[in-house]
Each structure stands twice: as structure tokens, then as C-alpha cells.
Amino acid sequence: TQLLEQSPQFLSIQEGENLTVYCNSSSVFSSLQWYRQEPGEGPVLLVTVVTGGEVKKLKRLTFQFGDARKDSSLHITAAQPGDTGLYLCAGYESGGSYIPTFGRGTSLIVHP
Amino acid sequence: ETGVTQSPTHLIKTRGQQVTLRCSSQSGHNTVSWYQQALGQGPQFIFQYYREEENGRGNFPPRFSGLQFPNYSSELNVNALELDDSALYLCASTEQDRGEQYFGPGTRLTVT
């Protein structure tokens, strides 16, 4: 059983569409991070959220941390082919854990 | 500021052999973590080093071992390679108190 469940696993959309990716858990996290990984590369950090209910925006990307700090979402507006990649969430469990747990990722393909 | 680098980029080994993978941390980062990422999966935590001492370990057997050097570069050693060890091996460096990880591009290991 994955500590962090990401959905959907795969997403194939047309340029200009909106999408939302979810990261859910039964555990509480002190912080949660979103990464994007391109084929053959390491994950690149997009954002860190630490406060329940927090919303952060990065251009067309909007990240939200759930009020109870158990879940998070990533919303992309007007997706572009450059958004294609594997989106990973990773969380540090509350209680001082310094070992992050990663979800399996959502593979996004944006067609021109 | 230099980023995280890893070597080699790709490696092919035979079952039973030993392998050493290398990582140079981002300047100013004293913590390095190693991850194994199988195809279609998120990264799985192997272990973390802080100031040359192992600081945490994931669910990997003892044949996975590591070192961190005074300049904060690091090695991952895997003995008695098995076919299931085929994966992308990622290292990530961190400023200990921030928790934000910066990943290298990874080493693709294939065991035949």
C-alpha cells in the first residue's frame, strides 16, 4: 500500500485543456512537495506547501494543501506541450520525519 | 552555484557483480539522499547521509551501502547485483534544515 496515492496515474490531453492531479494519504504531513520529472532526468522541485489550506501559484500551476494536511492537488490551467512530464508528490510525515515518501506519480502528456 | 551531478549516466552490469555510483552535492548542501526509481514508479528512499554519517535508511538490504566524503560528495555501492536492481538511481542534496531536495539527473543501471 502506497503511503501517498496519486491520481490519475496517466493523463493525455490536448493543448489548452485544464487538469487536476491529486495526492492523497491517511497520514498527516508536516510539508508536501510537488516535482516534475522529464524522461531520463531527475525530479525538479516545483513547490513546497507547509500550512493546511495553503494555496500557491506558479504561473499556470496552482497547488493546494488540504486543511488537514493529508492531501494536496495540482491544477494546471491551459496546459501546454511543455507541461508534459511525470508529476510527483512527496511528503514528510508529521513527527519530525526527515525521510520523504513519494507517490508513484502522474504521467501527463499534452498534445499540440 | 553548481547543481547536483551524478556519474556515470548509464551503466550495464551482470548479475552478481558490484557497482559504485557517484554524486556531487549542490554547493553548500551537507545532506545527501539516494533513491531508487523503477520504471513507472516514484523514487524509493534508500538512505541519507549527513556530515558523513548515515542519517536514515529505507527498506533496502545491507548490500546497498554508501559513503559521504568531507566535501559532501557521495557514493552508493551495491553488491551482488540482482536483476531487480535495474533502475534509475537518483541522488538529492539538501540543506539539512530546509528539507527541499535538489536532484541530480540520475544513473540508469541495467543488470543483465
Side-chain angles (χ1 to χ4, degrees):
Chain A
T1 304
Q2 286 281 111
L3 183 62
L4 277 171
E5 296 286 345
Q6 284 192 243
S7 62
Q9 189 174 356
F10 300 100
L11 202 50
S12 179
I13 62 173
Q14 292 298 125
E15 183 175 1
E17 291 184 24
N18 301 332
L19 67 118
T20 302
V21 175
Y22 300 93
C23 178
N24 295 299
S25 177
S26 57
S27 297
V28 177
F29 293 96
S30 59
S31 67
L32 194 141
Q33 299 169 337
W34 284 93
Y35 294 82
R36 184 171 74 212
Q37 184 178 22
E38 299 188 18
E41 300 291 329
V44 175
L45 180 66
L46 297 173
V47 77
T48 300
V49 286
V50 297
T51 306
E54 182 177 4
V55 176
K56 282 192 173 180
K57 292 192 175 183
L58 184 65
K59 296 183 181 178
R60 294 175 293 100
L61 278 60
T62 302
F63 304 86
Q64 186 162 5
F65 201 13
D67 291 341
R69 291 185 289 131
K70 293 182 178 182
D71 55 85
S72 181
S73 64
L74 158 59
H75 182 79
I76 302 179
T77 304
Q80 298 178 0
D83 295 327
T84 294
L86 179 69
Y87 288 82
L88 294 157
C89 64
Y92 289 86
E93 283 188 88
S94 290
S97 175
Y98 49 81
I99 299 174
T101 300
F102 278 82
R104 285 188 176 180
T106 293
S107 181
L108 171 66
I109 298 175
V110 182
H111 301 279
Chain B
E1 181 178 272
T2 58
V4 179
T5 60
Q6 291 187 244
S7 62
T9 306
H10 297 89
L11 200 53
I12 299 174
K13 288 286 190 178
T14 303
R15 190 171 50 185
Q17 286 187 316
Q18 178 266 343
V19 69
T20 298
L21 310 182
R22 294 179 174 83
C23 172
S24 291
S25 299
Q26 185 159 318
S27 177
H29 289 184
N30 56 18
T31 302
V32 66
S33 302
W34 285 91
Y35 294 84
Q36 179 194 68
Q37 186 176 24
L39 205 59
Q41 303 288 324
Q44 297 294 311
F45 177 79
I46 302 175
F47 44 57
Q48 182 183 86
Y49 279 81
Y50 171 65
R51 293 186 176 177
E52 304 175 57
E53 297 287 330
E54 187 177 292
N55 194 34
R57 190 177 183 92
N59 189 26
F60 281 81
R63 60 190 184 83
F64 286 77
S65 63
L67 282 173
Q68 186 182 30
F69 300 101
N71 65 355
Y72 302 136
S73 65
S74 177
E75 287 182 354
L76 164 65
N77 299 288
V78 187
N79 294 321
L81 284 167
E82 300 176 0
L83 297 179
D84 285 349
D85 295 333
S86 296
L88 181 69
Y89 288 85
L90 297 162
C91 78
S93 71
T94 317
E95 287 184 84
Q96 174 72 1
D97 60 349
R98 291 192 59 186
E100 296 187 355
Q101 298 187 99
Y102 296 86
F103 283 84
T107 293
R108 172 69 63 185
L109 173 64
T110 302
V111 182
T112 62

